[in-house]
């Protein structure tokens, strides 16, 4: 059975969404910052969370894609030039 390569964009987009949600929730539950309206603070937190989440998703995608595949053992009597091996 062949394994598929992971799709890095899936990891990145998932990281962006989770990061934005986590930072947005932190903005809602946290104290109000003087000098910023709630909407402005929420916007900054969403953008920062999306950036951080995207970077984390990219790192996870790179780690998953970097794992070497486990190759099936070569059949007995096969030579390296056998296409079926």
């Amino acid at each position: 059975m062949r394994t598929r390569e992971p799709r890095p964009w899936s990891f990145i987009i998932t990281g962006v969404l989770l990061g934005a949600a986590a930072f947005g929730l932190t903005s809602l539950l946290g104290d109000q910052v003087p000098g910023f309206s709630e909407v402005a603070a929420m916007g900054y937190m969403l953008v920062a969370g999306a950036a951080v989440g995207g970077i984390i998703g990219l790192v996870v995608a790179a780690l998953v894609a970097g794992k070497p595949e486990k190759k099936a053992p070569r059949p007995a009597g096969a030579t390296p030039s056998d296409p079926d091996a």
Side-chain angles (χ1 to χ4, degrees):
M1 179 195 278
R2 294 190 68 136
T3 59
R4 293 184 347 184
E5 286 290 320
R7 297 180 180 173
W9 283 109
S10 299
F11 286 92
I12 295 169
I13 291 171
T14 302
V16 165
L17 294 175
L18 290 176
F23 277 51
L25 187 63
T26 301
S27 176
L28 286 175
L29 298 176
D31 296 333
Q32 187 173 0
V33 178
F36 290 100
S37 68
E38 287 185 33
V39 175
M42 171 72 93
Y44 286 124
M45 291 296 281
L46 287 175
V47 170
V52 170
I55 292 170
I56 291 172
L58 180 64
V59 169
V60 171
L63 291 174
V64 170
K67 286 187 177 180
E69 289 185 26
K70 292 183 179 179
K71 294 187 178 184
R74 189 177 305 223
T79 62
S81 61
D82 277 343
D84 297 327

